[in-house]
Amino acid sequence: MPRRTLHILVIGLLLASVSMVALTQAAAGFADPAFEQLWKSGEATTPNFWGPVSNAREGQAEPYAEGLYKDQVGSRLVQYFDKARMELTNPASPVSNGLLATELITGRVQMGDNKFEMRQPAVIPLAGDPDNTGPTYAALAEYSAALLAPAQPRAAENGFTTLSLPATGLPTNFSGGSTYPQANIAEYDDTTKHNVPRAFATFRQRVGIGAIGLAISEPFWSNVRVAGRSRDVLIQAFERRILTYTPDNPEAYQVEFGNIGQHYYQWRYQSANGANLAAIPGIFYMPTNTPIPPPAPLGTTGTARASVPVSFTTITTNVARGGFASATVQAPVGAYCKISVTYKSGQSAVDGLQDKVADANGRVSWTWPVGTNVTSGAAPVDVLCSQNNQSYMTSATITVGP
């Protein structure tokens, strides 16, 4: 057998091993003819674009405020594949492809055009074997200052990717970045403010931006285990999918989709052992439209309304305009927390200040950009956390410099 053929066979086996995660109910077929048509067109463009139908879930109705499925207002037809989810919001609408990566990282489950429910970000590995230790979707949220915050354009300099995220621990530098020209920055998604390496830019141009979306993280390297073997892999999160670039794969398999359809189904409907997420201690599930009791007035130092307070553990004290500020609070486990930053020039509404849920250790962290037009001076930072009809609030102050 020729060596190249052997390599391709080995890679195929690796892909198969990575995709085998707790699929106890394989689909008998496509849930709708439109799904079949889209699956065939995608697979014709790129093998394993959606993943085998034998690995797919059966079609199901899923809550969606604007949906209409079998005369059921408020639900739509979906089907989960290895690599994505297909959605049919109503019989007259085109098939859509969910923003799964965005939801897994932020914990915001989209239940309608403008309706969301909160969970914790997914503690599921982005790439590699299912029992890999990481990095996870939750790690991207945890290290948002380095990975998710808006970045400066680098396509003009053709710079290589040097950021690395280990399975555990802080982001570091990847010393071997200059070895792989395909990892050099080639494009910049101006809407989301993230750089895209050449390997992913070329791949996205070929398969279409509609299937992948815009970049929502910076690209980064990680050493992950695939079929028991540790490998250096370049990873980047886009709105709808995760892309990976493995330099030592055969060329046709160097850029691949992550198994985000499997990951999302596991996160939304199962734990790692198949249990219901709602029954797992430390997992908090709360609709964003759940009424929140009136807090103490924002901009003042509030007093906790119950015996368990909310308190800052870390916060940026001084930040220059154009820089980044961050804050972490200790709160009741599973509490739903909102943050407000009010500069002299007005209240901030930038990315990074989204509502969050306290993790299993009661920790909530935010990192956000400070605009170049923000007025210098003291700015109050207020955090309100609610749980079980009780509200807790704490305040601090950061100083914005020129």
Side-chain angles (χ1 to χ4, degrees), residues 84-125:
R85 176 181 70 195
M86 292 189 191
E87 308 157 344
L88 192 60
T89 301
N90 64 66
S93 67
V95 178
S96 55
N97 182 8
L99 300 172
L100 303 191
T102 302
E103 294 187 26
L104 286 163
I105 294 167
T106 64
R108 285 164 55 89
V109 180
Q110 188 159 14
M111 307 295 286
D113 292 351
N114 297 293
K115 183 180 179 182
F116 299 85
E117 292 185 353
M118 289 301 302
R119 295 185 178 220
Q120 292 180 345
V123 188
I124 298 173

Coordinates of all heavy atoms in Angstrom, one line a residue, residues 84-125:
A84 N -22.7 20.1 12.9 CA -23.6 21.2 13.0 C -25.0 20.8 13.3 O -25.3 19.6 13.4 CB -23.5 22.0 11.7
R85 N -25.9 21.8 13.3 CA -27.3 21.6 13.5 C -28.1 22.2 12.3 O -27.8 23.4 12.0 CB -27.8 22.1 14.8 CG -29.3 22.0 15.0 CD -29.8 22.7 16.3 NE -29.7 24.1 16.3 CZ -29.7 24.9 17.4 NH1 -29.8 24.3 18.6 NH2 -29.6 26.2 17.3
M86 N -29.0 21.5 11.7 CA -29.9 22.1 10.7 C -31.2 22.6 11.4 O -31.7 21.9 12.2 CB -30.2 21.1 9.5 CG -29.0 20.8 8.7 SD -29.5 19.8 7.2 CE -27.9 19.3 6.6
E87 N -31.7 23.7 10.9 CA -32.9 24.3 11.5 C -33.9 24.7 10.4 O -33.5 25.3 9.4 CB -32.5 25.5 12.3 CG -31.4 25.3 13.3 CD -30.7 26.6 13.7 OE1 -30.9 27.6 13.0 OE2 -29.9 26.6 14.7
L88 N -35.2 24.3 10.7 CA -36.2 24.8 9.8 C -37.3 25.5 10.7 O -38.1 24.9 11.3 CB -36.9 23.6 9.1 CG -37.8 23.9 7.9 CD1 -37.1 24.7 6.8 CD2 -38.4 22.6 7.3
T89 N -37.2 26.8 10.7 CA -38.0 27.6 11.6 C -39.5 27.6 11.3 O -40.3 27.5 12.1 CB -37.5 29.1 11.6 OG1 -36.1 29.1 12.0 CG2 -38.3 29.9 12.6
N90 N -39.8 27.5 10.0 CA -41.2 27.3 9.5 C -41.1 26.7 8.1 O -40.1 26.8 7.5 CB -42.0 28.6 9.6 CG -41.5 29.7 8.6 OD1 -41.5 29.5 7.4 ND2 -40.9 30.8 9.2
P91 N -42.2 26.2 7.6 CA -42.2 25.5 6.3 C -41.7 26.3 5.2 O -41.2 25.8 4.2 CB -43.6 25.0 6.2 CG -44.2 24.9 7.6 CD -43.5 26.0 8.3
A92 N -41.9 27.6 5.3 CA -41.6 28.5 4.2 C -40.2 29.1 4.3 O -39.7 29.7 3.3 CB -42.6 29.7 4.1
S93 N -39.5 28.9 5.4 CA -38.2 29.5 5.6 C -37.1 28.6 5.0 O -37.3 27.4 4.9 CB -37.9 29.7 7.0 OG -37.8 28.5 7.8
P94 N -35.9 29.2 4.6 CA -34.8 28.4 4.2 C -34.2 27.6 5.4 O -34.4 28.1 6.6 CB -33.8 29.4 3.7 CG -34.2 30.7 4.3 CD -35.6 30.6 4.6
V95 N -33.5 26.6 5.2 CA -32.8 25.9 6.3 C -31.6 26.7 6.8 O -30.9 27.3 6.0 CB -32.3 24.5 5.8 CG1 -31.5 23.8 6.9 CG2 -33.4 23.6 5.3
S96 N -31.5 26.9 8.1 CA -30.5 27.7 8.7 C -29.5 26.7 9.4 O -29.8 25.5 9.6 CB -31.0 28.7 9.6 OG -31.9 28.2 10.6
N97 N -28.4 27.3 9.8 CA -27.3 26.6 10.4 C -26.9 27.3 11.7 O -26.5 28.4 11.7 CB -26.1 26.6 9.5 CG -24.9 25.8 9.9 OD1 -24.9 25.1 11.0 ND2 -23.8 25.9 9.2
G98 N -27.2 26.7 12.9 CA -27.2 27.4 14.2 C -25.9 28.0 14.5 O -24.8 27.6 14.1
L99 N -25.9 29.0 15.4 CA -24.7 29.7 16.0 C -24.2 28.9 17.2 O -24.1 29.4 18.3 CB -25.1 31.1 16.4 CG -25.6 32.1 15.2 CD1 -26.1 33.4 15.8 CD2 -24.5 32.3 14.2
L100 N -23.9 27.6 16.9 CA -23.6 26.7 18.0 C -22.3 27.1 18.8 O -22.3 27.0 20.0 CB -23.5 25.3 17.5 CG -24.7 24.7 16.7 CD1 -24.5 23.2 16.5 CD2 -26.0 25.0 17.5
A101 N -21.3 27.6 18.1 CA -20.1 27.9 18.8 C -20.3 29.1 19.7 O -19.8 29.1 20.9 CB -19.0 28.3 17.8
T102 N -21.1 30.1 19.2 CA -21.4 31.3 20.1 C -22.1 30.8 21.3 O -21.8 31.3 22.4 CB -22.2 32.2 19.3 OG1 -21.5 32.6 18.1 CG2 -22.5 33.5 20.1
E103 N -23.1 30.0 21.2 CA -23.8 29.5 22.4 C -23.0 28.7 23.4 O -23.1 28.9 24.6 CB -25.0 28.7 21.9 CG -26.1 29.6 21.2 CD -27.3 28.8 20.9 OE1 -27.7 27.9 21.7 OE2 -28.0 29.1 19.9
L104 N -22.2 27.8 22.8 CA -21.3 27.0 23.7 C -20.3 27.8 24.5 O -20.0 27.4 25.7 CB -20.6 25.9 22.9 CG -21.5 24.8 22.3 CD1 -20.7 24.1 21.2 CD2 -21.8 23.8 23.4
I105 N -19.8 28.8 23.9 CA -18.8 29.7 24.6 C -19.5 30.6 25.6 O -19.0 30.8 26.7 CB -18.0 30.4 23.6 CG1 -17.1 29.4 22.7 CG2 -17.0 31.4 24.3 CD1 -16.5 30.1 21.5
T106 N -20.6 31.3 25.2 CA -21.2 32.3 26.1 C -22.2 31.7 27.1 O -22.4 32.3 28.1 CB -22.0 33.3 25.2 OG1 -23.0 32.6 24.5 CG2 -21.0 34.0 24.2
G107 N -22.7 30.5 26.8 CA -23.7 29.9 27.6 C -25.1 30.5 27.3 O -26.1 30.1 28.0
R108 N -25.3 31.3 26.3 CA -26.6 31.9 26.0 C -27.2 31.0 24.9 O -26.9 31.0 23.8 CB -26.4 33.3 25.4 CG -26.1 34.3 26.5 CD -25.5 35.6 25.9 NE -26.3 36.2 24.9 CZ -27.3 37.1 25.1 NH1 -27.6 37.5 26.4 NH2 -28.0 37.6 24.2
V109 N -28.3 30.3 25.4 CA -29.0 29.4 24.4 C -30.1 30.2 23.8 O -30.9 30.8 24.4 CB -29.7 28.2 25.2 CG1 -30.5 27.3 24.2 CG2 -28.6 27.4 26.0
Q110 N -30.0 30.3 22.4 CA -31.0 31.1 21.7 C -32.3 30.4 21.6 O -32.4 29.3 21.0 CB -30.5 31.5 20.3 CG -31.3 32.5 19.6 CD -30.6 33.3 18.5 OE1 -29.5 32.9 18.1 NE2 -31.2 34.4 18.1
M111 N -33.4 31.0 22.1 CA -34.7 30.4 22.1 C -35.7 31.2 21.3 O -36.9 30.9 21.3 CB -35.3 30.4 23.6 CG -34.3 29.7 24.6 SD -34.1 27.9 24.2 CE -35.7 27.3 24.8
G112 N -35.2 32.2 20.5 CA -36.0 33.0 19.7 C -35.1 34.1 19.1 O -33.9 34.2 19.5
D113 N -35.6 34.9 18.2 CA -34.8 35.9 17.6 C -34.2 36.8 18.6 O -33.1 37.3 18.5 CB -35.6 36.7 16.6 CG -36.0 35.9 15.3 OD1 -35.5 34.8 15.2 OD2 -36.9 36.4 14.6
N114 N -35.0 37.1 19.7 CA -34.5 38.0 20.7 C -34.7 37.4 22.1 O -35.0 38.1 23.1 CB -35.2 39.4 20.6 CG -34.9 40.1 19.3 OD1 -33.7 40.5 19.1 ND2 -35.9 40.2 18.4
K115 N -34.7 36.1 22.2 CA -35.0 35.4 23.5 C -33.8 34.4 23.7 O -33.5 33.6 22.9 CB -36.3 34.7 23.4 CG -36.7 34.0 24.7 CD -38.1 33.3 24.6 CE -38.5 32.6 25.9 NZ -39.7 31.9 25.7
F116 N -33.3 34.5 25.0 CA -32.2 33.6 25.3 C -32.4 33.0 26.7 O -33.1 33.6 27.5 CB -30.8 34.4 25.3 CG -30.5 35.0 24.0 CD1 -31.0 36.3 23.6 CD2 -29.7 34.3 23.1 CE1 -30.7 36.8 22.4 CE2 -29.3 34.9 21.9 CZ -29.8 36.1 21.5
E117 N -31.7 31.9 26.9 CA -31.7 31.3 28.3 C -30.2 31.1 28.6 O -29.4 30.8 27.8 CB -32.5 30.0 28.3 CG -34.0 30.2 28.2 CD -34.8 29.0 28.4 OE1 -34.2 27.9 28.5 OE2 -36.0 29.0 28.4
M118 N -29.9 31.2 29.9 CA -28.5 31.1 30.3 C -28.2 29.8 30.9 O -28.9 29.2 31.6 CB -28.3 32.2 31.4 CG -28.3 33.6 30.9 SD -27.0 33.9 29.6 CE -25.5 33.5 30.5
R119 N -27.0 29.3 30.5 CA -26.3 28.1 31.1 C -24.9 28.5 31.3 O -24.4 29.6 30.9 CB -26.4 26.9 30.2 CG -27.8 26.4 30.0 CD -27.8 25.1 29.2 NE -29.2 24.6 29.0 CZ -29.5 23.4 29.0 NH1 -28.6 22.4 29.3 NH2 -30.8 23.0 28.8
Q120 N -24.2 27.6 31.9 CA -22.7 27.8 32.0 C -22.1 27.4 30.7 O -22.6 26.5 30.0 CB -22.1 26.9 33.1 CG -22.5 27.3 34.5 CD -22.0 26.4 35.6 OE1 -21.5 25.4 35.3 NE2 -22.0 26.9 36.8
P121 N -21.0 28.1 30.3 CA -20.3 27.6 29.0 C -19.9 26.1 29.1 O -19.7 25.6 30.2 CB -19.1 28.5 29.0 CG -19.5 29.7 29.8 CD -20.4 29.2 30.9
A122 N -19.8 25.5 27.9 CA -19.6 24.1 27.9 C -18.2 23.6 28.3 O -17.2 24.1 27.7 CB -19.9 23.6 26.5
V123 N -18.1 22.7 29.3 CA -16.9 22.2 29.7 C -16.6 20.9 28.8 O -16.7 19.8 29.3 CB -16.8 21.9 31.2 CG1 -15.4 21.5 31.6 CG2 -17.3 23.1 32.0
I124 N -16.5 21.1 27.5 CA -16.3 20.1 26.5 C -15.1 20.4 25.7 O -15.0 21.6 25.2 CB -17.6 19.9 25.7 CG1 -18.8 19.5 26.5 CG2 -17.3 18.9 24.6 CD1 -20.1 19.4 25.8
P125 N -14.2 19.5 25.4 CA -13.0 19.8 24.6 C -13.4 20.3 23.2 O -14.3 19.7 22.6 CB -12.2 18.5 24.6 CG -12.7 17.7 25.7 CD -14.1 18.1 25.9

